Amino acid sequence: MDNILDTAKTWLTDFFDPAIKKEIEHLIANDKEELNDRFYKNMEFGTGGIRGVMGVGTNRINKYTLGKSTQGLSNYLNKVYKGEEIKVVIAFDCRNNSDTLARTVAEVFSANGIKVFLFSELRTTPELSFAVRHLNCHAGIVLTASHNPPEYNGYKVYWTDGGQIVPPQDGEIISEINSLGFEDIKFTPNDSLIEVIDKEVDKAFISQSVAAGNFNAAGKENFKIVFTSLHGTSITAIPEVLKRGGYENVTIIEEQAKPDGNFPTVKSPNPEESEALSMAVKKAEEIGADMVVGTDPDSDRLGIAVRNLDGEMEIVNGNQAMVLMTKFLLEKRKEKGFKGNEFIATTIVSTPMMEAMAKAYGVEFKTSLTGFKWIGKMIKDFPESDFIGGGEESFGYMVGDFVRDKDAVTSTLLACEIASQAKANGSSFYKDLIQCYVDYGFYKEHLVSITKKGISGAEEIKQMLKDFKENPVESVAGSKVKWIEDYNTSTAKNVLTGEEKTIDIPKSNVLIYETEDGTRIAARPSGTEPKVKFYISTNTKLERTEDYKKVAAELDNKVKSILAELNLA
């Protein structure tokens, strides 16, 4: 408590704005609990950079915490690229204060002699990733908190390859940041080094997106799409990409088309949540649309709803969308002829069906920790290999490598191509997915996400994961646990035979149980939110498409029994 108070009092110097000092004085006098939460720790880099609630304090997003991060990054850039003209590009999304925080970040870079390209208005995260290489920049920043609630904002750092920073580089940057005091921040800008950019990058990005996502599918004139940007940035790109891709019959949900950091029409601007797409799904039912697409605020995740076997709109999950997109890309590549260096990728908590499909097509399968930065790193680490596509269960997908992060812009066009072609062939997106289950195995996934806020919440999450590890599960739904994968120790142990393997993936706080029948239970804390997540994957054979409903019900019941066994129901 004394340490927290001492830390808070360091913000009462004349370096900080008067309004900030006044707020801290009020907290010291009247609200110790809130003071503790704001100052008990510093903002930390997670799987997606820095992300947190906006406000005053070391544990909040504000001009000082982002300024300090930018100062540390500036120092690092000036060391690594000493003597070069260093360039960075900055984008921001629709969130409250994103534009002003982006300007602050630009000013700090410029004060350190770094050339800045600053987008004039909000832009998507995939366009920022693209812009890094397009403008030959050393780094990129996007101000965003992805799909988090309105009170959040954040800051993601990209490197020369257009991918997010990864170890050991992120650790070196963090060390640089941690060596600084707030008074070390250079806030006085060199305006001659800040160049505002606009449509020139848009043109190149949209052209590349259409080239990567358009496969000249049949039936576009009869394919009806409902699109919602959920008050986010994708309104700046997706309508134009769909138009250039040949889709004229697109209905935009106007109530959600205007960018707004308060996200007034949804509980959460997260396409993983069915409620977020409810307005679009309702419109699709009204007008008889074939597909709904909705994207999160920075347009790196997409949610899809299509007509199921009963003709009703049903939201497909991230694993399902990923499987069908990858299958489509593999089939297109197969038509051209494989060269033998192709690979697809996903994460350790995503569906194992991706690996089964890679084996069927004879291409390499790579898996990574959660977070798209690891998939981007694969492309950088294996330049001789050809990345076809890949994604993760949390509704992110990347088509090819012209963007090095999950990309809802290109993926939206790809999803429409798949569905339009399927309809023209007398099938559907949903029916094609069921055929994948027949071909590669019927995999069914379920996510349980538990939120625990504040200091006590962080301790609860830590204890939950400790209990999960120290009290190992012996069987799941009647099937014995065979493998325990501990990513903290980089070991996988066969508990039935005693065999041990080394996991060749960076260490992370993830534990996975796999049973004899292939059921997988994974547990991990979120890197960007106060959550602990449990991922469940079950599978069985699907002999015929006609058996889909019956077998799906059996897997649903199995998932329910697993949730009850693990006290997660």
Side-chain angles (χ1 to χ4, degrees):
M1 181 72 75
D2 289 340
N3 289 338
I4 291 170
L5 186 59
D6 289 342
T7 301
K9 285 179 178 178
T10 64
W11 282 49
L12 297 177
T13 68
D14 290 340
F15 179 78
F16 295 89
D17 294 341
I20 285 177
K21 292 193 286 183
K22 185 176 180 181
E23 184 171 350
I24 291 170
E25 287 170 349
H26 172 79
L27 291 172
I28 290 172
N30 301 290
D31 197 341
K32 290 293 197 303
E33 185 176 345
E34 179 67 16
L35 183 78
N36 290 347
D37 193 54
R38 293 189 184 206
F39 284 96
Y40 84 95
K41 67 174 184 176
N42 294 321
M43 297 300 302
E44 298 173 354
F45 273 76
T47 53
I50 307 171
R51 195 183 300 180
V53 175
M54 290 179 280
V56 174
T58 58
N59 187 32
R60 293 290 186 271
I61 295 290
N62 53 64
K63 66 177 281 190
Y64 297 100
T65 53
L66 292 191
K68 185 178 173 184
S69 293
T70 307
Q71 184 63 51
L73 180 55
S74 298
N75 292 353
Y76 183 80
L77 284 164
N78 280 317
K79 285 179 181 178
V80 173
Y81 298 107
K82 190 174 183 179
E84 296 185 33
E85 183 198 12
I86 301 168
K87 296 180 289 185
V88 301
V89 57
I90 301 172
F92 56 91
D93 72 1
C94 61
R95 287 187 174 270
N96 298 324
N97 305 314
S98 277
D99 53 351
T100 54
L101 288 170
R103 185 73 199 186
T104 296
V105 169
E107 289 175 351
V108 174
F109 276 128
S110 74
N112 285 276
I114 293 171
K115 167 74 176 178
V116 179
F117 297 103
L118 176 64
F119 276 103
S120 62
E121 295 178 304
L122 76 172
R123 292 296 192 279
T124 67
T125 287
E127 182 165 347
L128 183 278
S129 171
F130 169 80
V132 172
R133 289 194 299 152
H134 181 71
L135 297 171
N136 296 312
C137 289
H138 296 80
I141 303 286
V142 60
L143 278 293
T144 178
S146 187
H147 56 279
N148 284 61
E151 64 269 22
Y152 280 73
N153 213 322
Y155 176 105
K156 288 205 288 189
V157 183
Y158 294 76
W159 214 242
T160 55
D161 63 320
Q164 293 181 49
I165 56 170
V166 292
Q169 193 175 54
D170 58 354
E172 293 167 357
I173 292 169
I174 290 167
S175 293
E176 194 72 49
I177 294 167
N178 291 342
S179 71
L180 301 173
F182 289 102
E183 287 79 1
D184 295 319
I185 306 168
K186 297 176 183 177
F187 278 120
T188 305
N190 180 345
D191 290 328
S192 68
L193 290 176
I194 301 176
E195 179 180 341
V196 176
I197 57 174
D198 201 67
K199 303 294 183 186
E200 57 271 27
V201 180
D202 298 348
K203 184 178 179 181
F205 170 67
I206 287 172
S207 294
Q208 287 268 8
S209 183
V210 173
N214 184 15
F215 291 87
N216 300 312
K220 295 183 182 185
E221 65 280 0
N222 297 316
F223 191 75
K224 297 175 76 172
I225 303 162
V226 173
F227 167 68
T228 175
S229 57
L230 297 178
H231 305 288
T233 61
S234 64
I235 197 69
T236 67
I238 287 179
E240 181 64 19
V241 165
L242 289 176
K243 182 180 178 182
R244 293 196 197 182
Y247 295 94
E248 299 288 347
N249 203 338
V250 180
T251 298
I252 296 172
I253 302 300
E254 295 298 335
E255 299 94 324
Q256 298 176 328
K258 184 179 179 181
D260 188 336
N262 294 316
F263 312 112
T265 66
V266 293
K267 292 178 182 176
S268 169
N270 184 358
E272 293 179 80
E273 306 289 342
S274 59
E275 183 273 335
L277 297 182
S278 60
M279 194 176 287
V281 168
K282 182 181 179 183
K283 175 61 72 173
E285 295 286 17
E286 288 174 4
I287 67 173
D290 299 291
M291 174 176 272
V292 165
V293 177
T295 57
D296 68 344
D298 68 325
S299 191
D300 59 0
R301 300 170 194 249
L302 76 161
I304 298 169
V306 293
R307 301 224 170 251
N308 61 21
L309 296 180
D310 298 319
E312 300 169 341
M313 296 305 296
E314 180 177 321
I315 296 172
V316 297
N317 64 40
N319 284 308
Q320 293 170 319
M322 169 175 59
V323 161
L324 202 49
M325 287 185 194
T326 306
K327 158 79 173 176
F328 185 87
L329 292 175
L330 284 167
E331 198 61 37
K332 292 298 180 183
R333 187 62 64 90
K334 182 182 177 182
E335 290 172 6
K336 291 182 178 180
F338 290 122
K339 296 179 181 178
N341 65 337
E342 296 87 357
F343 77 96
I344 62 173
T346 190
T347 65
I348 58 175
V349 297
S350 300
T351 179
M353 191 174 175
M354 287 285 282
E355 184 173 11
M357 196 157 54
K359 287 178 181 176
Y361 277 90
V363 301
E364 187 179 359
F365 171 74
K366 294 182 186 293
T367 187
S368 73
L369 294 175
T370 305
F372 237 84
K373 64 182 182 181
W374 300 109
I375 295 178
K377 185 177 185 294
M378 291 173 185
I379 298 169
K380 181 170 67 173
D381 288 350
F382 299 95
E384 72 286 354
S385 297
D386 184 4
F387 176 72
I388 293 175
E392 58 184 0
E393 55 76 38
S394 57
F395 289 60
Y397 198 82
M398 184 164 68
V399 184
D401 65 358
F402 80 101
V403 167
R404 301 293 175 90
D405 201 354
K406 49 187 178 283
D407 173 9
V409 178
T410 312
S411 298
T412 292
L413 178 57
L414 175 61
C416 293
E417 293 286 289
I418 295 167
S420 178
Q421 186 65 61
K423 184 181 179 182
N425 291 341
S427 182
S428 70
F429 191 98
Y430 202 86
K431 289 177 182 177
D432 282 4
L433 176 64
I434 295 171
Q435 186 59 50
C436 285
Y437 293 146
V438 174
D439 294 340
Y440 312 114
F442 193 171
Y443 290 81
K444 192 105 174 177
E445 280 76 32
H446 185 81
L447 169 66
V448 176
S449 183
I450 302 170
T451 300
K452 298 286 184 180
K453 295 183 178 181
I455 303 172
S456 60
E459 288 300 317
E460 283 185 70
I461 289 173
K462 188 176 178 181
Q463 188 61 47
M464 287 177 76
L465 290 166
K466 185 180 178 184
D467 291 344
F468 196 65
K469 180 177 180 177
E470 294 181 354
N471 302 292
V473 177
E474 294 182 359
S475 68
V476 177
S479 180
K480 289 183 179 179
V481 169
K482 183 177 181 181
W483 288 97
I484 298 178
E485 301 171 7
D486 187 341
Y487 288 81
N488 248 339
T489 60
S490 300
T491 57
K493 183 176 181 179
N494 186 323
V495 294
L496 301 180
T497 66
E499 177 190 359
E500 290 195 9
K501 297 178 182 177
T502 299
I503 299 172
D504 189 21
I505 286 179
K507 291 184 179 183
S508 183
N509 191 11
V510 182
L511 192 72
I512 299 178
Y513 294 106
E514 182 173 329
T515 71
E516 289 183 301
D517 70 0
T519 295
R520 286 172 66 85
I521 314 292
R524 63 173 282 269
S526 169
T528 55
E529 301 172 85
K531 292 181 177 180
V532 58
K533 296 183 176 183
F534 294 88
Y535 306 81
I536 298 164
S537 176
T538 61
N539 70 90
T540 190
K541 286 185 178 181
L542 181 63
E543 301 290 350
R544 308 179 308 154
T545 57
E546 293 82 0
D547 297 331
Y548 168 72
K549 286 187 178 181
K550 173 178 173 288
V551 178
E554 291 171 359
L555 285 180
D556 283 337
N557 288 332
K558 185 173 182 179
V559 169
K560 287 178 183 176
S561 70
I562 292 169
L563 293 175
E565 278 185 44
L566 299 176
N567 295 316
L568 295 174

